[in-house]
Amino acid sequence: MSRKILIKLLFGGAMLAGISGSFAQEVKENNQKEFGEFINRKGTYTRSASGKPNVGYWQNKADYQIAVTLDDSLHTLTGNITLTYTNNSPENLDFIWMQMEQNRFTEDSRGTLTTPIQGNRYNGDVDGGYEIANLQAKVGSKGSVSSKHIVSDTRMQVWFNEPIPAKGGTATVSMDFSFKVPVEGMDRMGRLEVEDGWIYAFAQWYPKVAVFDDIEGWNVEPYLGAGEFYLEYGNFDYKVTVPYDHIVVGSGELLNPKEVLSKELLDRYAKAKDSDTTVMMITAAELGNTELTRPKQNGNVTWHFAIENSRDIAFATSKAFIWDAAKINLPSGKKILAQSVYPRESNGQEAWSRSTEYSKASIEHYSEKWFEFPYATATNVAADIGGMEYPGLNFCSYNSKGEGLWGVTDHEFGHNWFPMIVGTNERRYAWMDEGFNTFINHYSTQAFNDGEYPSNLNETRRYTNFFTSETREGIDTYPDVVNIGNLGMLAYNKPAMGLLMLREYILGHERFDNAFKSYIKTWAYKHPQPTDFFNHMENVAGENLSWFWQGWFYGTGNIDLGVSAVVPYAGNYVIVLANKGDMPMPVLLEITYDDGSTEQKMLPVEIWQRGDTWNYLLKTDKKVAGVVIDPAKLLPDVNLGNDSWPQKLYDN
């Protein structure tokens, strides 16, 4: 390289006047737009600029009493519901909107009509839907009864004869409902026939109130497919009547074990609650032996459950369930129950016989690391469902085994933190639950049995094809709008990588963990928006991250950091860096010297504030043999070829 070319490279033709022999940092037009503010994150009366609920924050409350009966010959569920609704908002409400998600399973539902001919993961039967009768709605205990309601696809508007008063007014809505249980239930619920009978997985099974909040008012997006749920918190008391030979597991605590379990099962149940290893409640050999395991030998039995401060409930029932359980130890000293139910087809130590071990480890890890699990049970149910989460209860594929079963079990239980505890709007912001959960799954998998199963979230360069694809979309794309082929990256992996970069590369463990745990604690059982998350992380971690939120969460740009040259200068070295990507990023350099020693230097993100090149003066009396950016290859940098000097064709 000639001296003339070298000077041009280092100075871009410009030198600071009067400073002979000094390197002048080139001043260019700022092409790193992410340093500017991108969305309005100013505080409001309801949500503070520090990312906390403000003095005016409110949310409404929904308490439910439900009783249902399963007819396993007709595959129908029939029952009644009473919703007690508390209006904590500052305005009177003439009506409420309710979610009627079983109406997705009809021929003319919006979800059916927007499903491609070839189908997708969210296939659903079309011979179902709710039948509603005896609807009664009234305000307070003495209000007049209204039956006025309008059903519109997967929503129902219920009108009152007088408004529900603001700031604490209450209303009740009761109705009878029934529906045919689909076989294919959008990969979230349904029924599966196995050797010993049917497995029924019940989710989205009762009419539930929609969220009325300070951001959108009524959140009434229809249930289409990819978009999941956004629900109010409250207390649930529910009863499930099934044939005498069924076992029922559900969200929350079983309140009447003496009425539904035999003396032998009660003894095993008590033993499991005190055991760190899995205790068999019903073995494969005992399937069908109802005299041993059931208190009745004919008719129906009613199982009674309750859960507090929850946003939803789900349950499963079958006469084909093998059942096992063990104790979960929580940081506070509280003991709760992990349990699994599965058919004989799923039995075996390489398969579902380890489910309770996985469940226990998952709940204990997240409780210790982030926030304590709040419910009485953590139940894993084997069903014909790839993986779906509800408060304290999962549905996972009955075909899963080994690493796959660990992965789906751990992921679905991780959802108890996002969005069951931190109640985000899944229908709009899938990344705030799927992405955050995928992130915490990375650490739980690393911790389980000292890494029995691998986690590859930190191998971010495996996804270069997506990041360079012309069809890529932004994380902020709504899940029902996004290209189905992009959903896995946009809802799960890319936001999870974003948090990984924050923790492992940008903020460090201590600052990130303080902020993330504070976010969970602050917004537990509440409804944070994306701006609340951004503001809270910045305020607790003490870092303006606007450039990161804009570049990673609200754009499709990529990271491409490079080493252009390493030049001897005045007994030291100048490392010439370039940012050829679309977003700024701190630069971690690993320098290798000719004596084999290495050292690392972290340059702050602000080096890119005025342009896309930077000259770093490395002071050393050693000879530099090599320089590498991001030696752990944590960043999803789309260009492997310019990460090192001397330049290599491949970086390992």
Side-chain angles (χ1 to χ4, degrees):
M1 181 183 293
S2 72
R3 176 175 175 80
K4 185 175 181 180
I5 295 174
L6 175 60
I7 291 174
K8 186 174 182 180
L9 174 66
L10 293 175
F11 301 104
M15 294 187 65
L16 294 178
I19 308 181
S20 177
S22 297
F23 282 95
Q25 187 62 48
E26 181 180 4
V27 178
K28 290 186 176 181
E29 179 183 354
N30 180 15
N31 66 346
Q32 303 299 319
K33 305 180 188 67
E34 285 75 8
F35 279 110
E37 293 292 335
F38 66 104
I39 54 174
N40 181 3
R41 294 197 279 136
K42 296 179 181 178
T44 68
Y45 181 62
T46 56
R47 297 166 189 267
S48 74
S50 64
K52 294 181 177 181
N54 212 344
V55 291
Y57 180 82
W58 55 267
Q59 68 186 54
N60 293 344
K61 187 173 186 285
D63 299 319
Y64 297 86
Q65 287 191 311
I66 312 173
V68 289
T69 299
L70 172 68
D71 185 327
D72 64 346
S73 61
L74 298 177
H75 304 302
T76 58
L77 192 73
T78 302
N80 56 76
I81 178 173
T82 298
L83 161 70
T84 301
Y85 186 72
T86 304
N87 175 25
N88 294 316
S89 82
E91 58 185 284
N92 299 336
L93 298 178
D94 296 318
F95 56 82
I96 64 172
W97 281 98
M98 300 189 72
Q99 300 283 357
M100 306 289 285
E101 284 142 348
Q102 284 299 313
N103 286 346
R104 167 62 176 78
F105 305 111
T106 62
E107 289 186 350
D108 59 353
S109 74
R110 291 190 185 190
T112 298
L113 296 175
T114 55
T115 299
I117 293 173
Q118 69 273 22
N120 55 35
R121 173 182 172 178
Y122 308 106
N123 291 332
D125 291 355
V126 294
D127 59 348
Y130 281 119
E131 293 184 8
I132 299 296
N134 300 323
L135 186 145
Q136 296 187 331
K138 69 176 182 178
V139 173
S141 59
K142 298 180 180 179
S144 61
V145 174
S146 167
S147 60
K148 181 180 177 181
H149 64 282
I150 302 170
V151 176
S152 174
D153 192 54
T154 57
R155 294 79 47 92
M156 177 169 65
Q157 188 179 35
V158 178
W159 290 81
F160 299 91
N161 288 336
E162 60 257 46
I164 310 172
K167 299 182 179 180
T170 62
T172 57
V173 177
S174 62
M175 71 190 84
D176 299 330
F177 67 94
S178 65
F179 61 90
K180 182 180 178 182
V181 185
V183 174
E184 287 194 75
M186 302 272 288
D187 201 27
R188 295 198 174 104
M189 54 105 38
R191 53 189 164 95
L192 167 69
E193 189 171 19
V194 294
E195 180 180 341
D196 296 293
W198 286 90
I199 293 174
Y200 295 89
F202 283 100
Q204 290 76 60
W205 57 277
Y206 60 97
K208 63 191 72 169
V209 71
V211 172
F212 182 74
D213 64 21
D214 60 311
I215 303 299
E216 297 291 335
W218 286 108
N219 287 259
V220 291
E221 286 85 357
Y223 182 37
L224 298 177
E228 293 188 358
F229 312 107
Y230 186 34
L231 303 167
E232 297 287 17
Y233 287 91
N235 301 328
F236 293 78
D237 186 294
Y238 64 107
K239 296 177 180 179
V240 180
T241 300
V242 294
Y244 75 94
D245 53 357
H246 276 226
I247 292 293
V248 182
V249 290
S251 297
E253 182 178 7
L254 176 63
L255 298 184
N256 63 335
K258 292 181 180 179
E259 297 176 19
V260 297
L261 304 179
S262 68
K263 177 62 168 62
E264 177 63 28
L265 242 58
L266 285 169
D267 290 343
R268 297 178 187 181
Y269 196 58
K271 182 180 178 183
K273 287 183 172 181
D274 197 38
S275 175
D276 283 313
T277 58
T278 301
V279 172
M280 295 305 303
M281 299 282 293
I282 298 176
T283 67
E286 293 167 344
L287 288 174
N289 185 357
T290 58
E291 292 185 359
L292 176 68
T293 59
R294 311 297 203 275
K296 288 181 62 177
Q297 300 306 308
N298 56 66
N300 288 335
V301 174
T302 298
W303 297 62
H304 188 185
F305 299 89
I307 188 170
E308 295 182 350
N309 212 9
S310 180
R311 56 179 252 159
D312 200 2
I313 49 174
F315 72 93
T317 179
S318 180
K319 63 181 181 181
F321 279 152
I322 299 170
W323 185 11
D324 63 41
K327 174 183 62 171
I328 292 173
N329 302 293
L330 297 178
S332 65
K334 185 179 179 181
K335 314 296 181 185
I336 61 171
L337 190 70
Q339 57 184 353
S340 302
V341 289
Y342 47 95
R344 69 170 72 245
E345 289 88 340
S346 306
N347 195 24
Q349 194 61 24
E350 73 286 354
W352 273 78
S353 294
R354 292 191 71 184
S355 168
T356 292
E357 175 195 354
Y358 296 159
S359 304
K360 170 182 167 67
S362 182
I363 296 294
E364 289 180 347
H365 171 85
Y366 298 129
S367 294
E368 181 66 36
K369 191 167 185 65
W370 304 116
F371 188 91
E372 184 163 304
F373 183 77
Y375 304 123
T377 54
T379 304
N380 209 18
V381 179
D384 193 17
I385 296 165
M388 190 60 202
E389 73 283 353
Y390 299 92
L393 185 142
N394 305 330
F395 300 131
C396 296
S397 174
Y398 75 108
N399 290 318
S400 291
K401 296 181 179 180
E403 180 183 344
L405 181 58
W406 158 261
V408 68
T409 299
D410 182 55
H411 180 79
E412 305 312 336
F413 275 127
H415 273 304
N416 279 275
W417 283 261
F418 310 102
M420 305 308 164
I421 294 171
V422 181
T424 51
N425 185 343
E426 299 177 272
R427 198 153 288 178
R428 288 187 171 219
Y429 310 116
W431 60 271
M432 293 187 76
D433 70 287
E434 297 293 359
F436 289 16
N437 185 27
T438 301
F439 166 73
I440 65 174
N441 298 159
H442 172 67
Y443 296 100
S444 60
T445 298
Q446 287 182 332
F448 179 66
N449 276 357
D450 295 322
E452 177 179 350
Y453 301 123
S455 174
N456 58 21
L457 181 65
N458 56 341
E459 298 174 12
T460 60
R461 301 194 181 196
R462 295 159 53 111
Y463 303 98
T464 301
N465 286 344
F466 169 82
F467 291 125
T468 57
S469 168
E470 292 184 0
T471 61
R472 68 187 185 274
E473 300 165 275
I475 288 174
D476 57 318
T477 310
Y478 285 1
D480 281 319
V481 176
V482 72
N483 184 312
I484 289 292
N486 289 339
L487 184 63
M489 278 299 301
L490 298 183
Y492 296 74
N493 289 336
K494 189 178 180 185
M497 290 178 202
L499 297 192
L500 189 77
M501 286 189 282
L502 281 176
R503 187 174 193 263
E504 302 293 342
Y505 192 89
I506 297 169
L507 295 176
H509 290 188
E510 186 173 16
R511 284 206 293 162
F512 178 90
D513 289 358
N514 286 342
F516 199 53
K517 286 191 282 190
S518 178
Y519 166 72
I520 297 170
K521 182 178 179 181
T522 298
W523 287 99
Y525 317 112
K526 296 181 177 68
H527 295 314
Q529 297 289 311
T531 53
D532 298 316
F533 172 69
F534 300 148
N535 286 342
H536 200 86
M537 292 297 291
E538 288 189 7
N539 275 265
V540 180
E543 193 76 27
N544 185 335
L545 295 166
S546 293
W547 58 272
F548 185 70
W549 309 131
Q550 177 169 328
W552 195 251
F553 288 86
Y554 282 80
T556 58
N558 287 314
I559 299 168
D560 182 6
L561 305 175
V563 184
S564 298
V566 177
V567 184
Y569 175 74
N572 297 295
Y573 289 87
V574 171
I575 301 174
V576 184
L577 302 173
N579 187 346
K580 298 183 178 182
D582 307 293
M583 62 180 292
M585 186 62 62
V587 179
L588 177 62
L589 298 173
E590 184 173 82
I591 300 104
T592 300
Y593 298 102
D594 64 350
D595 63 2
S597 63
T598 62
E599 68 171 326
Q600 293 190 348
K601 301 284 187 180
M602 177 65 91
L603 306 184
V605 70
E606 287 84 2
I607 65 174
W608 308 119
Q609 282 185 143
R610 295 180 179 85
D612 58 4
T613 61
W614 185 257
N615 303 324
Y616 171 63
L617 179 62
L618 173 67
K619 296 180 179 180
T620 181
D621 56 4
K622 296 182 179 183
K623 183 178 180 180
V624 174
V627 177
V628 175
I629 291 176
D630 181 27
K633 299 295 178 279
L634 186 74
L635 300 180
D637 192 306
V638 296
N639 185 357
L640 295 169
N642 64 356
D643 289 357
S644 59
W645 177 91
Q647 198 171 83
K648 299 176 182 178
L649 184 59
Y650 299 104
D651 280 325
N652 297 321

